[in-house]
Amino acid sequence: MLRGNWRYIVAVAGLSLLGASNPPQPAGKGEKPYPTAKHAPLDPAATAKDRPADYEQPCDRQKRNRNSDLCAQWTAADAARDAADWTYLALWLTGASLVGLFVTLAFNYAAWKQARESKVDTNCALLAAEKNAGAAMKLAEVAETNSKKELRAYLDFNGIHLEKWPDFDGIGVDEIGMRLGVKITNYGRTPAENVESVIQQKIRVNSTASLTNMFGEDRNVISSIAPSDDFNLRFCFRVSKDIYDALDKGQLWCRACAIVTYTDVFGETHVLRGGFESRNLKDELSAVEGTRAST
C-alpha cells in the first residue's frame, strides 16, 4: 500500500525541509547584506560553491551518516515505510485474530450444540434404562413368584376313612371305639414346616339335616413333612352301638372337618381346609363340595 508511494513521501519531506531553512538576517556593522531583488541575481556557480558540503555527502543505507541531510530524509522515509509495513502486518494479524475468534466461537457453538444433543440423548437413555430396569424388576418378581410356586411345599389330603377301632372300646359301657384316619401328603419340592392340624368329627341324620352332635376336636403339631412324604392323623372317639349301627347302614352320616396350616421354606404360611362325609363304614369319606380350599 504505502510502499509504492515512498517517492511522493520523500518529495514532500524534502520540500518541507527546504521551506524550514532560516530566512536571511540583516547585515551588521562592517558586514555586507545579502543581495535582494533589487541587486543583481546570484551567480549559480558561486551559489553552488558556497552551498554546504554536508548535503552532498553520500548516504549509505547500511551505514547511516548523521551529518547528511539527505541521509536524514532517507531515514525518515525508511521509518515511514517501515511503520506502514508494520501497520499492514498488524492489520493482517488483526484480521487473522478475528478469523480465529470466529472459528473459536463456531467450535464453541458446535460443542454447545453437541452437548445439548448429548444431554437429550442421555435423558432418553436414562428414561429407557429406567423403563428397562422397571421391566427387569417386574421380570425378577415374576421369576421369584414362579420359583416360589414351583419350589414351595404343597400339602393335600390323600384319603380319609372311618373305621371301627376295638382298642378304643368303652370299658363296662355299651360304646364302640371309632377311629378317623386322615392322610396328608406333601406334593411339593421342599419340606413343609410347622404343620398344625385341627380335625372335628360330627354326626348328622342326612345330607340336609343340621349337625346333631360333635364328638370332639383333635389337634396335632408336626415339625415338618418332607417332599413326597405322608403323615397320618388319627382321631379316636366312641359312639353308642345304636349310632354305630346307623352309621354302618348309612342312616347317619359322619362329617369330618380338617384344617391344616404349614409354612414353606420361603417363610410364607399356607392353609388347607376340607370337609368330608361318610356314606357308610366301608368306603372312604368323600369330599363335600365347596368346602375344600387351599392357599
Side-chain angles (χ1 to χ4, degrees), residues 47-289:
T47 302
K49 183 179 180 181
D50 296 338
R51 184 179 301 168
D54 292 341
Y55 183 80
E56 297 178 352
Q57 293 182 3
C59 182
D60 190 357
R61 190 170 184 178
Q62 302 297 331
K63 298 179 182 180
R64 296 180 179 180
N65 190 355
R66 292 183 176 273
N67 296 324
S68 175
D69 292 339
L70 180 61
C71 191
Q73 295 176 19
W74 275 108
T75 301
D78 291 340
R81 184 184 63 184
D82 292 340
D85 291 340
W86 284 110
T87 303
Y88 185 73
L89 179 61
L91 181 61
W92 274 102
L93 292 177
T94 302
S97 299
L98 290 176
V99 172
L101 177 61
F102 284 123
V103 171
T104 303
L105 291 176
F107 276 110
N108 290 338
Y109 174 76
W112 171 79
K113 187 177 180 181
Q114 185 67 27
R116 185 180 63 178
E117 293 177 356
S118 299
K119 181 179 179 181
V120 173
D121 295 339
T122 302
N123 292 334
C124 294
L126 289 176
L127 291 176
E130 185 177 358
K131 291 182 180 179
N132 292 335
M137 291 181 63
K138 290 182 179 179
L139 290 176
E141 291 177 357
V142 172
E144 182 180 2
T145 302
N146 293 336
S147 176
K148 288 181 179 180
K149 290 181 178 180
E150 184 71 19
L151 300 177
R152 55 160 281 196
Y154 284 94
L155 297 187
D156 202 355
F157 300 109
N158 190 17
I160 299 179
H161 60 277
L162 181 65
E163 61 183 354
K164 184 178 179 182
W165 194 249
D167 294 342
F168 203 69
D169 290 344
I171 300 176
V173 294
D174 189 14
E175 290 183 336
I176 299 175
M178 302 288 296
R179 185 175 72 172
L180 179 68
V182 180
K183 185 178 181 181
I184 301 175
T185 302
N186 182 3
Y187 293 97
R189 296 187 178 182
T190 53
E193 301 174 349
N194 303 321
V195 182
E196 297 183 6
S197 65
V198 177
I199 300 177
Q200 295 178 348
Q201 179 68 30
K202 302 177 182 180
I203 299 295
R204 66 180 182 176
V205 176
N206 52 46
S207 59
T208 58
S210 60
L211 297 176
T212 58
N213 190 11
M214 184 174 74
F215 289 93
E217 180 179 276
D218 183 55
R219 292 178 177 270
N220 293 276
V221 177
I222 311 168
S223 59
S224 64
I225 301 177
S228 302
D229 279 1
D230 302 324
F231 190 85
N232 294 311
L233 300 175
R234 294 179 176 87
F235 175 41
C236 298
F237 59 95
R238 297 184 180 92
V239 296
S240 64
K241 188 176 184 306
D242 295 337
I243 294 179
Y244 176 81
D245 292 338
L247 288 173
D248 190 26
K249 296 176 182 179
Q251 296 174 352
L252 293 179
W253 290 8
C254 175
R255 167 172 285 192
C257 299
I259 301 175
V260 179
T261 61
Y262 62 97
T263 305
D264 59 24
V265 293
F266 302 104
E268 296 183 1
T269 301
H270 306 277
V271 179
L272 173 65
R273 293 182 176 89
F276 303 87
E277 286 184 342
S278 66
R279 299 295 186 267
N280 52 59
L281 298 180
K282 299 179 179 64
D283 301 326
E284 289 190 350
L285 277 70
S286 57
V288 178
E289 184 178 356

